[in-house]
């Protein structure tokens, strides 16, 4: 059977279910014009993807296969392949956000399309309530996932050696040929990250929220693009468990990724619209510009935005503080923040980003209650006590005492050089946000 293997979120040879498929194979990767054309010319995420796609090609060649690399619209590219050679089917791993699903439906009109399951631990409809409906709350989802977890979820996909490569022009393309330039992406390799994380995994629960030193795995980019398979990571975790380490807290976070993927799969409209409440922030271009330029005058928020702009990374706790400030203190629509993150995050993943923003805004499927508003000063005091993180990204504040940078009143009073006063007073802004949400709750109550 002549089969196109379409690599998307699974850019590796090792333990890849796609490569356990026995057939005559034409492996392809497409830089999708629809996604790529929106990115800046020096997008570091694209440089990362380009690098790993080239490595994938070399690794496939070493196994007697190859990879044809394209830029353009998937339907047009696949049509043009079908015009050149006869193909029986396309095989790809599931990609479940709304755009990806629609794209795959269109491709499936051209040729038989088979989805394999390799992107997540569980299939998107595997963890369901007893009545067959999707979970909307994380804890029961997590509990159910533990009861359904079995050795099959750890099984390694073996490379099928009996497959053959279909003769084809296995070209490659340069980043420049579709308008991009190479930029240092700063993503560390998987072995380095796992070796580092092995030192911290036993402390994960206690230290994962500390901002100034990284106690988390930093594996999200590799999980996003499948340079590390989720089952590979789970087997690594099992080894740590055998050493007597409590791996449960880390596993729980991996299940969050599953939960968000399942929510976006079952409720695709949450990509644009609130799940709860009709209140959706107030559009204000000026406030948004202050935020994007890291000039809100709230040190932990501005430090987070600068880290994101300069590296494409941001610690989970900082993401939570920043998103809360954006949606509650600045009262901006969560969709604007989600879009901003999507442009800059190296690990951008539609499901995790959208659902996390809706969680922060209090509008999501299993959200933070709208009346619980993070105080960014208390957050920085707790998680960046000595302000090492703040001062790393805002060196103009090096001379200011840590306790003053956690003190809103001081910042409102002080005339700091090269740093603005806070653009909002937290207490007042939080009150305004809570009132706005409360009114919407009332609307919903009256409507019922
Ligand atoms: C506003 C906001 C936006 C976010 N956007 C993204 C995004 O676009 N892509 C993304 O991968 N994560 C996103 N997250 C979740 C989380 O911040 C990152 O997964 C985490 O910071 C990645 O760092 P790590 O690999 O060191 O995580 P670790 O703590 O080492 O966790 C291991 C893995 O578990 C998963 N994970 C951990 N926490 C979460 C979580 N809260 N939600 C979903 N998955 C999780 C990730 O795949 C992560 O790599 C977002 C969180 C917030 C609050």
């Amino acid at each position: 059977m002549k089969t196109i293997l379409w690599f998307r979120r699974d850019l590796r040879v090792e333990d890849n279910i796609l490569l356990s498929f026995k057939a005559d194979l034409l492996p392809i990767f497409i830089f999708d014009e629809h996604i790529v054309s929106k990115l800046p010319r020096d997008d570091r995420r694209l440089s990362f993807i380009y690098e790993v796609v080239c490595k994938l090609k070399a690794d496939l060649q070493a196994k007697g296969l190859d990879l044809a690399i394209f830029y353009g619209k998937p339907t047009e590219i696949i049509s043009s392949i079908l015009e050149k050679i006869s193909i029986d089917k396309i095989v790809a791993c599931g990609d479940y956000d709304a755009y990806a699903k629609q794209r795959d439906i269109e491709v499936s009109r051209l040729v038989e399309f088979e989805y394999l399951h390799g992107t997540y631990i569980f299939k998107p409809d595997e963890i369901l309530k007893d009545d067959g409906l999707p979970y909307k709350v994380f804890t029961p989802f997590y509990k159910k996932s533990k009861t359904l977890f079995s050795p099959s979820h750890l099984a390694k996909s073996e490379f099928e050696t009996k497959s053959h490569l279909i003769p084809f022009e296995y070209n490659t393309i340069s980043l420049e040929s579709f308008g991009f330039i190479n930029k240092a992406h700063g993503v560390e390799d998987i072995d380095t990250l796992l070796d580092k994380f092995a030192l911290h995994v036993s402390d994960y629960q206690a230290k994962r929220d500390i901002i100034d030193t990284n106690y988390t795995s930093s594996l999200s980019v590799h999980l996003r693009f499948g340079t590390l398979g989720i089952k590979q990571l789970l087997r690594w975790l099992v080894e740590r468990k055998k050493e007597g380490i409590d791996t449960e807290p880390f596993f729980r976070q991996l299940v969050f990724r599953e939960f968000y993927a399942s929510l976006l799969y079952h409720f695709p409209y949450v990509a644009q619209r609130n799940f709860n409440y009709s209140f959706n922030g107030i559009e204000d271009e000026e406030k948004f510009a202050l935020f994007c330029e890291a000039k809100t005058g709230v040190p932990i928020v501005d430090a987070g935005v600068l880290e994101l702009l300069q590296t494409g990374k941001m610690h989970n706790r900082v993401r939570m503080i920043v998103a809360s400030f954006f949606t509650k203190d600045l009262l901006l629509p969560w969709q604007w923040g989600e879009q901003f993150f999507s442009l800059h995050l190296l690990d951008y993943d539609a499901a995790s980003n959208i659902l996390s923003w809706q969680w922060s805004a209090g509008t999501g499927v299993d959200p933070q209650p709208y009346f619980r508003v993070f105080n960014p000063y208390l957050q920085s005091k707790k998680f960046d006590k000595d302000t090492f993180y703040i001062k790393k990204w805002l060196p103009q504040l090096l001379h200011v005492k840590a306790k003053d940078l956690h003190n809103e009143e001081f910042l409102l009073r002080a005339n700091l050089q090269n740093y603005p006063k806070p653009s909002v007073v937290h207490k007042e802004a939080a009150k305004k946000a809570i009132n706005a949400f409360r009114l919407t709750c009332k609307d919903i109550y009256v409507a019922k």
Side-chain angles (χ1 to χ4, degrees), residues 204 216-220 223 250 253-254 256-257 260 314-316 319-320 323 341 345 347-349 352-353 356-357:
Y204 181 75
T216 65
S217 72
S218 302
L219 286 166
S220 50
L223 289 173
F250 185 68
Q253 289 313 115
L254 295 178
F256 254 112
R257 176 174 173 266
Y260 286 157
M314 198 194 278
H315 186 284
N316 180 58
R319 294 185 205 203
M320 287 160 74
F341 270 30
L345 275 179
D347 67 9
Y348 172 65
D349 170 77
S352 294
N353 202 47
S356 297
W357 271 94

Side-chain angles (χ1 to χ4, degrees), residues 77-118:
I77 285 162
I78 288 164
S79 296
S80 79
I81 297 175
L82 297 176
E83 277 166 21
K84 286 184 197 142
I85 47 176
S86 85
I87 290 287
D88 300 300
K89 65 151 76 174
I90 295 192
V91 178
C93 280
D95 195 357
Y96 306 115
D97 73 58
Y99 167 72
K101 277 201 285 188
Q102 186 53 36
R103 175 198 62 200
D104 290 350
I105 288 170
E106 282 166 27
V107 171
S108 74
R109 294 194 182 114
L110 305 172
V111 61
E112 185 187 331
F113 194 128
E114 182 178 342
Y115 255 171
L116 296 183
H117 170 64

Side-chain angles (χ1 to χ4, degrees), residues 437-448:
F437 274 97
R438 202 172 273 145
L439 282 176
T440 332
C441 297
K442 217 164 128 201
D443 286 352
I444 288 173
Y445 180 73
V446 170
K448 274 180 186 166

Side-chain angles (χ1 to χ4, degrees), residues 250-396:
F250 185 68
F251 178 72
R252 191 170 186 275
Q253 289 313 115
L254 295 178
V255 176
F256 254 112
R257 176 174 173 266
E258 307 282 320
F259 178 56
Y260 286 157
S262 140
L263 289 180
L264 190 59
Y265 178 81
H266 290 288
F267 308 104
Y269 67 88
V270 299
Q272 281 89 33
R273 286 189 279 126
N274 294 1
F275 189 84
N276 277 310
Y277 309 123
S278 53
F279 178 67
N280 199 33
I282 298 166
E283 298 189 3
D284 185 326
E285 297 284 354
E286 240 172 76
K287 281 188 189 170
F288 185 55
L290 278 184
F291 173 85
C292 296
E293 290 164 18
K295 289 183 181 157
T296 68
V298 181
I300 190 72
V301 173
D302 293 336
V305 171
L306 287 171
E307 181 188 14
L308 179 63
L309 294 176
Q310 290 172 32
T311 67
K313 299 173 190 171
M314 198 194 278
H315 186 284
N316 180 58
R317 174 57 54 175
V318 185
R319 294 185 205 203
M320 287 160 74
I321 301 169
V322 164
S324 173
F325 182 80
F326 188 96
T327 53
K328 304 279 178 59
D329 292 57
L330 295 181
L331 266 191
L332 290 166
W334 65 262
Q335 291 91 336
W336 290 16
E338 196 277 332
Q339 185 65 23
F340 180 73
F341 270 30
S342 79
L343 277 179
H344 299 287
L345 275 179
L346 271 163
D347 67 9
Y348 172 65
D349 170 77
S352 294
N353 202 47
I354 290 163
L355 272 305
S356 297
W357 271 94
Q358 287 232 38
W359 179 88
S360 298
T363 58
V365 185
D366 180 11
Q368 149 149 286
Y370 72 84
F371 47 82
R372 214 169 280 161
V373 180
F374 277 20
N375 179 325
Y377 303 98
L378 293 182
Q379 290 284 317
S380 65
K381 189 174 174 184
K382 195 164 172 196
F383 300 112
D384 184 28
K385 190 168 166 285
D386 299 315
T387 59
F388 293 139
Y389 176 81
I390 287 176
K391 288 178 179 172
K392 177 174 179 188
W393 298 105
L394 293 164
Q396 67 270 45

